[in-house]
Amino acid sequence: MSKNNNHPNETIYKPGSQVIVDMLLEQGVEVMFGYLGGVVLPLFDKLYDAPIKFVIPRHEQGGCHMADAYARATGKTGVVIATSGPGATNLTTGLATAMMDSVPLVAITGQVRTSLIGNDAFQEADTTGITRPITKHNVIVKDPNTLAQTIREAFHIAGNGRPGPVLIDIPVDMQLAECPIPPKTEIELPGFKVKSRGHGRQIAAAVAAINDSKKPVLYVGGGCIISGASEALRAVAQKANIPVTTTLMATGAYDQSRPESLDMLGMHGSAYANYAVQYADVLISVGARFDDRVTGKLDTFAPSAKIIHIDLDPANIGKNVHVDIPVVGDAREVLEEMIDGLEHRPRKEWFEQIAAWKSKHPFMYDKKTDVIKPQYVIEEVCRQTHGDAIITTGVGQHQMWAAQFYKYSKPRQFITSGGLGTMGFGLPSAIGAQVAFPDRTVIDIDGDSSFNMTLTELSTAAMYNLPVKVAILNNGFMGMVRQWQELFYHGRYSQSSLKNPNFADVAEALGCVGITVKKKKDVPGAVEKMLAETRPCVVDFHVDPTENVWPMVPAGKSLHEMDGLDIFEMA
Amino acid sequence: MKHILSALVLNRPGVLAHVAGMFAARAFNIDSLAVGRTDDPTLSRMTIVILGDDKVVEQVRKQLMKIVEVVKVQDFVGQDVVARDLMLLSVACTPEKRPEILALIEMFNGKVVDIGAKFVMVEVAGPESKVEAFIESCRPYGIKSIVRTGTVAMARQPRTKSEE
Ligand SMILES: Cc1ncc(C[n+]2csc(CCOP(=O)(O)OP(=O)(O)O)c2C)c(N)n1
Ligand SMILES: [Mg+2]
């Protein structure tokens, strides 16, 4: 890359803006997302000639979600740029979203020049101060000598260990200063050590407990997707003969068409997964963190189970539940080390019990009615895409239905904001995934209110000819809020409905295809049309506004205390 | 229960904010926090006193370790440590009361660092309990002002068990 390569040991100096671009290329960055502004102009000037694909969102939040979804879809580190002040503050929701779901992201923000910092200069914000709790790490560059290495370290920290967003705040004078590029060496950070191999004795204890168990359950979290553990997971589950339940974040980590798949557990998980956890004698948690939406009431979670917890982040272990056998390590590496010691057990009674729960309480809805049930739309989308699309979502009922009624078989196929629960994530994340995989079918299964939050990004999809699909399950409500108001606030629907625009018209106005579906019989045709469309396409499905997500473990109840099971039987 | 954590952190701007922010965000209760340089100019030492059961403190320790600038964290619980606070205290003191108060200061191994017609400023260092006891002893005379550092602590080497 260097022009003066006749002296290989001589440090090269370049303007900071060029150093940033060189470092991005050194890290293998092919695509980035971001928005302009005064203090990032030197950087954008260098990006003008750089062999990096650039996507400009309509709002920095959208750009951050795009970079996030690009990372979730590929496993690579996403990159987003924003200017100082409002540009940086607009990133915050995106950073917090990525932080909660452990997504590797590098955010570069411009900053006012160092001599002005602290003076309330135009478009100055304390970006590192604001983003400290919502980034894995952040740093402001105040010395040109540190710029290059800081960027290398940012990628190292973002992508290694438990991944997360790292923000680098770069004052404009640093972009203009001559900065050295030291030779690339192994990164040594005294405070950042990753231990990925599990402890041999702990692994042996886990294997012994599993071999001794009669009613084991594998409880799998997003860590399995991050570490690429799906293969190892399948090998463990099949060799030892163990049923597998996945959290929302682990959707797709285990092929849902397999008989030992219990689908999702938790507040809106399957009855059979929740029962299995409650009756298990050994619970093997892999890359999951015992979130309250998963465990329900903690004291009565998996009450008779010995708990094995495999996690890369030691802070996750023992945070919420007492763990009998902790194993600190990478999910894939630990599972691979376990395989040899595991023995096959028939567990006939256990699987019979599970089969009985499965046939008694499948995910269900009223299929006979004339109104469009949201679940029906998802099943139809799943059928026509052969369960092979990348699905993104907003947050709410539609998100839960997208997890329940689409059947996933591969990791990185389902992209959703699990930890933070960020409405508006659906469309920008679909765009990010589509940028990563231009030839795959990417569908945002969205809610009307969630879609309203970031629909401006339709023009981004149109501008870059990205054929993303948006299937709005339009119930005219903040449906999940409405459901809680119905169940816990005596049906007092305080402020939970919006007057929506005609979404098809909005789509057309923003350069996309818009379709409205009001009749059940038109659903299959509309889905077909949507899938065939080469332009970005929005289909506004007017679905039953009264539909609720079942089953439901009300907040504070135990996992087996699900409501809505009888509603299933009636249907 | 009270725990003393000793953290070695990078000597960089923002680290204190990061550590303090983490405590606030996770609702951990800090009793005191003392920061100072070490013999290595790139490192600082933070001594953090927290109240909580073992589970909470273990979580604090792990969360501290996750901060990239935090290099090492030790929990001194159950160890033989020397823990010290430093205090400056100004107490009302008329010339008549002087002998009485000076005797008190001597009892506590304090040092007079400033004196006026109506007050005396004292420096007292020692275990927290001693510092507290000195404050109580001064109270009847009228305390004008108190400034205290947080606790700093160091573990004793097992083989050099000398007296405190
Ligand atoms: C940014 C943001 N604001 C508020 C919420 C709280 N919230 C959770 S679900 C929901 C309603 C979502 O409505 P919609 O997108 O229409 O989805 P539905 O539940 O109707 O399927 C709200 C307001 C949130 N998760 N995110
Ligand atoms: Mg809705």
Side-chain angles (χ1 to χ4, degrees), chain A residues 397-398 447-450 473-480:
Chain A
Q397 294 181 311
H398 65 278
D448 48 321
S449 301
S450 291
L473 303 181
N474 185 353
N475 50 15
F477 270 100
M478 300 172 190
M480 187 58 93

PDB file of all heavy atoms in Angstrom, chain A residues 397-398 447-450 473-480, ligand 2:
ATOM      1  N   GLN A 397     -45.602  -7.500  18.538  1.00  0.00           N
ATOM      2  CA  GLN A 397     -46.238  -8.792  18.291  1.00  0.00           C
ATOM      3  C   GLN A 397     -45.689  -9.452  17.028  1.00  0.00           C
ATOM      4  O   GLN A 397     -45.396 -10.650  17.006  1.00  0.00           O
ATOM      5  CB  GLN A 397     -47.751  -8.583  18.127  1.00  0.00           C
ATOM      6  CG  GLN A 397     -48.452  -8.121  19.378  1.00  0.00           C
ATOM      7  CD  GLN A 397     -49.939  -7.958  19.121  1.00  0.00           C
ATOM      8  OE1 GLN A 397     -50.352  -7.333  18.142  1.00  0.00           O
ATOM      9  NE2 GLN A 397     -50.757  -8.532  19.994  1.00  0.00           N
ATOM     10  N   HIS A 398     -45.571  -8.651  15.954  1.00  0.00           N
ATOM     11  CA  HIS A 398     -45.116  -9.222  14.680  1.00  0.00           C
ATOM     12  C   HIS A 398     -43.755  -9.889  14.818  1.00  0.00           C
ATOM     13  O   HIS A 398     -43.450 -10.872  14.161  1.00  0.00           O
ATOM     14  CB  HIS A 398     -45.046  -8.108  13.619  1.00  0.00           C
ATOM     15  CG  HIS A 398     -44.013  -7.075  13.938  1.00  0.00           C
ATOM     16  ND1 HIS A 398     -44.239  -6.041  14.809  1.00  0.00           N
ATOM     17  CD2 HIS A 398     -42.721  -6.951  13.554  1.00  0.00           C
ATOM     18  CE1 HIS A 398     -43.143  -5.312  14.933  1.00  0.00           C
ATOM     19  NE2 HIS A 398     -42.205  -5.847  14.193  1.00  0.00           N
ATOM     20  N   GLY A 447     -44.012  -4.223  11.974  1.00  0.00           N
ATOM     21  CA  GLY A 447     -45.263  -3.730  12.529  1.00  0.00           C
ATOM     22  C   GLY A 447     -45.513  -2.338  11.984  1.00  0.00           C
ATOM     23  O   GLY A 447     -44.569  -1.643  11.588  1.00  0.00           O
ATOM     24  N   ASP A 448     -46.755  -1.917  11.972  1.00  0.00           N
ATOM     25  CA  ASP A 448     -47.049  -0.598  11.410  1.00  0.00           C
ATOM     26  C   ASP A 448     -46.355   0.517  12.203  1.00  0.00           C
ATOM     27  O   ASP A 448     -45.776   1.438  11.627  1.00  0.00           O
ATOM     28  CB  ASP A 448     -48.569  -0.360  11.311  1.00  0.00           C
ATOM     29  CG  ASP A 448     -49.315  -0.703  12.584  1.00  0.00           C
ATOM     30  OD1 ASP A 448     -48.961  -1.706  13.233  1.00  0.00           O
ATOM     31  OD2 ASP A 448     -50.262   0.018  12.933  1.00  0.00           O
ATOM     32  N   SER A 449     -46.381   0.414  13.520  1.00  0.00           N
ATOM     33  CA  SER A 449     -45.769   1.488  14.309  1.00  0.00           C
ATOM     34  C   SER A 449     -44.246   1.440  14.219  1.00  0.00           C
ATOM     35  O   SER A 449     -43.587   2.477  14.125  1.00  0.00           O
ATOM     36  CB  SER A 449     -46.207   1.394  15.772  1.00  0.00           C
ATOM     37  OG  SER A 449     -47.611   1.494  15.852  1.00  0.00           O
ATOM     38  N   SER A 450     -43.682   0.255  14.253  1.00  0.00           N
ATOM     39  CA  SER A 450     -42.227   0.129  14.115  1.00  0.00           C
ATOM     40  C   SER A 450     -41.780   0.698  12.771  1.00  0.00           C
ATOM     41  O   SER A 450     -40.808   1.456  12.693  1.00  0.00           O
ATOM     42  CB  SER A 450     -41.807  -1.338  14.205  1.00  0.00           C
ATOM     43  OG  SER A 450     -41.987  -1.837  15.495  1.00  0.00           O
ATOM     44  N   LEU A 473     -47.321  -6.125   8.983  1.00  0.00           N
ATOM     45  CA  LEU A 473     -48.490  -6.744   9.604  1.00  0.00           C
ATOM     46  C   LEU A 473     -49.221  -5.609  10.303  1.00  0.00           C
ATOM     47  O   LEU A 473     -48.995  -5.318  11.474  1.00  0.00           O
ATOM     48  CB  LEU A 473     -48.064  -7.839  10.576  1.00  0.00           C
ATOM     49  CG  LEU A 473     -47.206  -8.944   9.945  1.00  0.00           C
ATOM     50  CD1 LEU A 473     -46.851 -10.012  10.974  1.00  0.00           C
ATOM     51  CD2 LEU A 473     -47.915  -9.576   8.747  1.00  0.00           C
ATOM     52  N   ASN A 474     -50.056  -4.948   9.502  1.00  0.00           N
ATOM     53  CA  ASN A 474     -50.664  -3.694   9.942  1.00  0.00           C
ATOM     54  C   ASN A 474     -51.933  -3.970  10.735  1.00  0.00           C
ATOM     55  O   ASN A 474     -52.980  -4.255  10.163  1.00  0.00           O
ATOM     56  CB  ASN A 474     -50.946  -2.838   8.699  1.00  0.00           C
ATOM     57  CG  ASN A 474     -51.473  -1.472   9.062  1.00  0.00           C
ATOM     58  OD1 ASN A 474     -51.752  -1.201  10.237  1.00  0.00           O
ATOM     59  ND2 ASN A 474     -51.608  -0.608   8.069  1.00  0.00           N
ATOM     60  N   ASN A 475     -51.811  -3.861  12.047  1.00  0.00           N
ATOM     61  CA  ASN A 475     -52.984  -4.036  12.907  1.00  0.00           C
ATOM     62  C   ASN A 475     -53.502  -2.694  13.407  1.00  0.00           C
ATOM     63  O   ASN A 475     -54.362  -2.629  14.271  1.00  0.00           O
ATOM     64  CB  ASN A 475     -52.653  -4.977  14.075  1.00  0.00           C
ATOM     65  CG  ASN A 475     -51.377  -4.561  14.797  1.00  0.00           C
ATOM     66  OD1 ASN A 475     -50.892  -3.441  14.619  1.00  0.00           O
ATOM     67  ND2 ASN A 475     -50.841  -5.460  15.604  1.00  0.00           N
ATOM     68  N   GLY A 476     -52.925  -1.592  12.888  1.00  0.00           N
ATOM     69  CA  GLY A 476     -53.403  -0.266  13.266  1.00  0.00           C
ATOM     70  C   GLY A 476     -53.146   0.064  14.729  1.00  0.00           C
ATOM     71  O   GLY A 476     -53.692   1.017  15.272  1.00  0.00           O
ATOM     72  N   PHE A 477     -52.314  -0.731  15.355  1.00  0.00           N
ATOM     73  CA  PHE A 477     -52.036  -0.541  16.780  1.00  0.00           C
ATOM     74  C   PHE A 477     -50.565  -0.754  17.060  1.00  0.00           C
ATOM     75  O   PHE A 477     -49.867  -1.432  16.307  1.00  0.00           O
ATOM     76  CB  PHE A 477     -52.800  -1.587  17.613  1.00  0.00           C
ATOM     77  CG  PHE A 477     -54.171  -1.163  18.039  1.00  0.00           C
ATOM     78  CD1 PHE A 477     -55.291  -1.615  17.345  1.00  0.00           C
ATOM     79  CD2 PHE A 477     -54.346  -0.326  19.136  1.00  0.00           C
ATOM     80  CE1 PHE A 477     -56.568  -1.242  17.744  1.00  0.00           C
ATOM     81  CE2 PHE A 477     -55.622   0.046  19.543  1.00  0.00           C
ATOM     82  CZ  PHE A 477     -56.738  -0.413  18.840  1.00  0.00           C
ATOM     83  N   MET A 478     -50.141  -0.211  18.161  1.00  0.00           N
ATOM     84  CA  MET A 478     -48.911  -0.710  18.773  1.00  0.00           C
ATOM     85  C   MET A 478     -49.362  -2.002  19.440  1.00  0.00           C
ATOM     86  O   MET A 478     -49.695  -2.049  20.628  1.00  0.00           O
ATOM     87  CB  MET A 478     -48.395   0.267  19.817  1.00  0.00           C
ATOM     88  CG  MET A 478     -48.072   1.633  19.233  1.00  0.00           C
ATOM     89  SD  MET A 478     -47.700   2.792  20.545  1.00  0.00           S
ATOM     90  CE  MET A 478     -47.682   4.291  19.573  1.00  0.00           C
ATOM     91  N   GLY A 479     -49.415  -3.036  18.619  1.00  0.00           N
ATOM     92  CA  GLY A 479     -50.122  -4.245  19.017  1.00  0.00           C
ATOM     93  C   GLY A 479     -49.663  -4.835  20.341  1.00  0.00           C
ATOM     94  O   GLY A 479     -50.480  -5.241  21.173  1.00  0.00           O
ATOM     95  N   MET A 480     -48.368  -4.892  20.552  1.00  0.00           N
ATOM     96  CA  MET A 480     -47.874  -5.498  21.794  1.00  0.00           C
ATOM     97  C   MET A 480     -48.298  -4.673  22.998  1.00  0.00           C
ATOM     98  O   MET A 480     -48.650  -5.209  24.044  1.00  0.00           O
ATOM     99  CB  MET A 480     -46.346  -5.636  21.728  1.00  0.00           C
ATOM    100  CG  MET A 480     -45.760  -6.407  22.891  1.00  0.00           C
ATOM    101  SD  MET A 480     -46.454  -8.066  23.017  1.00  0.00           S
ATOM    102  CE  MET A 480     -45.272  -8.999  22.062  1.00  0.00           C
TER     103      MET A 480
HETATM  104 MG    MG C   2     -48.937  -2.770  14.925  1.00  0.00          MG
END
